[in-house]
Amino acid sequence: MGSTVVRAVEAAPGLELVAALDAGDDVGAAVTSAGAQVAVDFTVPSATAENVRALVDAGVHAVVGTTGWTSAALDTVRAQLATRPGVGVLIAPNFALGAVLAMTFAARAARYFESVEVVELHHPDKVDAPSGTARHTAQAIAAARAQAGVGPSPDATSTTLDGARGADVDGVRVHAVRLRGLTAHEEILLGNRGEQLTIRHDSFDRESFMPGVVHAVRVVADHPGLTVGLEHVLDLG
Ligand SMILES: NC(=O)C1=CN([C@@H]2O[C@H](COP(=O)(O)OP(=O)(O)OC[C@H]3O[C@@H](n4cnc5c(N)ncnc54)[C@H](OP(=O)(O)O)[C@@H]3O)[C@@H](O)[C@H]2O)C=CC1
Ligand SMILES: O=C(O)C1=N[C@H](C(=O)O)C[C@H](O)C1
């Protein structure tokens, strides 16, 4: 993702690439000496929080695509941002516009269905499961169902092998598939008696994330504080 973002920023009118960093570089010193206004982080779950801390410390806005963020780590970013008014951090588990729409549609639909489960499918080099996108989708679905007073999805399973029913994200079952040949895919299955709605998004190429990343770079400075999810900086009506 890092090298794809480098090419996308270089090609984007009005943006200038002033630095590209690798593991082991001093993030704070590098962005300061390059005069960066915005930094983009696509690294690994174990490195991203420290990178964001260094960026906020340097007063540089951050656009973050790395997944694996815990709510405690997000709270730490919020607390640090409270000491740096004007600095914006936008963390989005998925920058593909179609994926953001799929999540939004799923949350909207979830109140009308008795059952809902999420399946994410990725390349086998991915280090975290379930995907950040699937977690974010399940959280949005759970919040929409709670707000509408919809109960848990019915499930009579009483005998099971560990993992057979997937992970529980705020009461929504999330299943992760890792398969050579895949890129990034998500299905949200919604069921009622006698009907099923399937919402599916496929990223076939990493290019799919670039319009969202470039948009985030352009607008992050207008959103001080912490924003989680690209949907909050898009006009989705
Ligand atoms: N939000 C979105 O739309 C998307 C999010 N992602 C997420 O982005 C992240 C990266 O994905 P991807 O590019 O496929 O992963 P890769 O494993 O291909 O790349 C991760 C890169 O991070 C580097 N790295 C490791 N540690 C550090 C560090 N401490 N500081 C700086 N760089 C470091 C690695 O360097 P080295 O090889 O030297 O170890 C590697 O080049 C993942 O969390 C993935 O889930 C992916 C696609 C879209
Ligand atoms: O690791 C990936 O490839 C991806 N990671 C993100 C996630 O965890 O949701 C976004 C996209 O699914 C690709």
Side-chain angles (χ1 to χ4, degrees):
M1 285 298 292
S3 51
T4 312
V5 170
V6 162
R7 289 193 294 277
V9 169
E10 283 175 331
L15 299 187
E16 183 191 357
L17 184 80
V18 295
L21 311 186
D22 283 320
D25 288 343
D26 182 335
V27 175
V31 294
T32 303
S33 69
Q37 294 171 311
V38 177
V40 180
D41 175 291
F42 279 93
T43 57
V44 286
S46 57
T48 186
E50 176 52 27
N51 288 343
V52 170
R53 193 205 56 72
L55 292 170
V56 174
D57 207 34
V60 173
H61 307 290
V63 169
V64 180
T66 311
T67 47
W69 283 83
T70 61
S71 25
L74 294 175
D75 285 344
T76 303
V77 176
R78 271 188 205 97
Q80 190 192 2
L81 283 167
T83 69
R84 298 303 303 246
V87 177
V89 174
L90 170 52
I91 301 177
N94 203 311
F95 284 99
L97 301 181
V100 176
L101 288 170
M103 285 187 243
T104 308
F105 295 154
R108 219 173 269 180
R111 65 170 61 189
Y112 301 108
F113 288 83
E114 203 180 335
S115 298
V116 57
E117 302 212 2
V118 178
V119 185
E120 56 96 333
L121 310 92
H122 279 83
H123 59 89
D125 303 319
K126 184 165 178 57
V127 296
D128 55 320
S131 71
T133 307
R135 281 174 185 248
H136 196 64
T137 305
Q139 285 163 348
I141 287 170
R145 283 165 78 87
Q147 196 181 22
V150 180
S153 296
D155 182 2
T157 308
S158 58
T159 307
T160 183
L161 270 183
D162 266 2
R165 293 288 293 119
D168 180 330
V169 178
D170 294 355
V172 178
R173 289 282 157 190
V174 179
H175 310 268
V177 175
R178 297 291 173 263
L179 206 69
R180 185 64 72 202
L182 295 181
T183 301
H185 316 262
E186 182 179 52
E187 271 190 13
I188 303 101
L189 312 175
L190 301 122
N192 274 334
R193 288 181 195 277
E195 68 166 339
Q196 180 178 322
L197 170 65
T198 303
I199 299 172
R200 180 172 173 118
H201 177 261
D202 298 279
S203 274
F204 300 114
D205 193 288
R206 293 187 161 236
E207 285 298 323
S208 62
F209 305 111
M210 295 306 119
V213 172
V214 168
H215 175 71
V217 169
R218 292 191 198 286
V219 303
V220 63
D222 302 330
H223 297 269
L226 176 63
T227 305
V228 181
L230 190 68
E231 62 275 20
H232 301 296
V233 300
L234 295 173
D235 181 8
L236 297 180

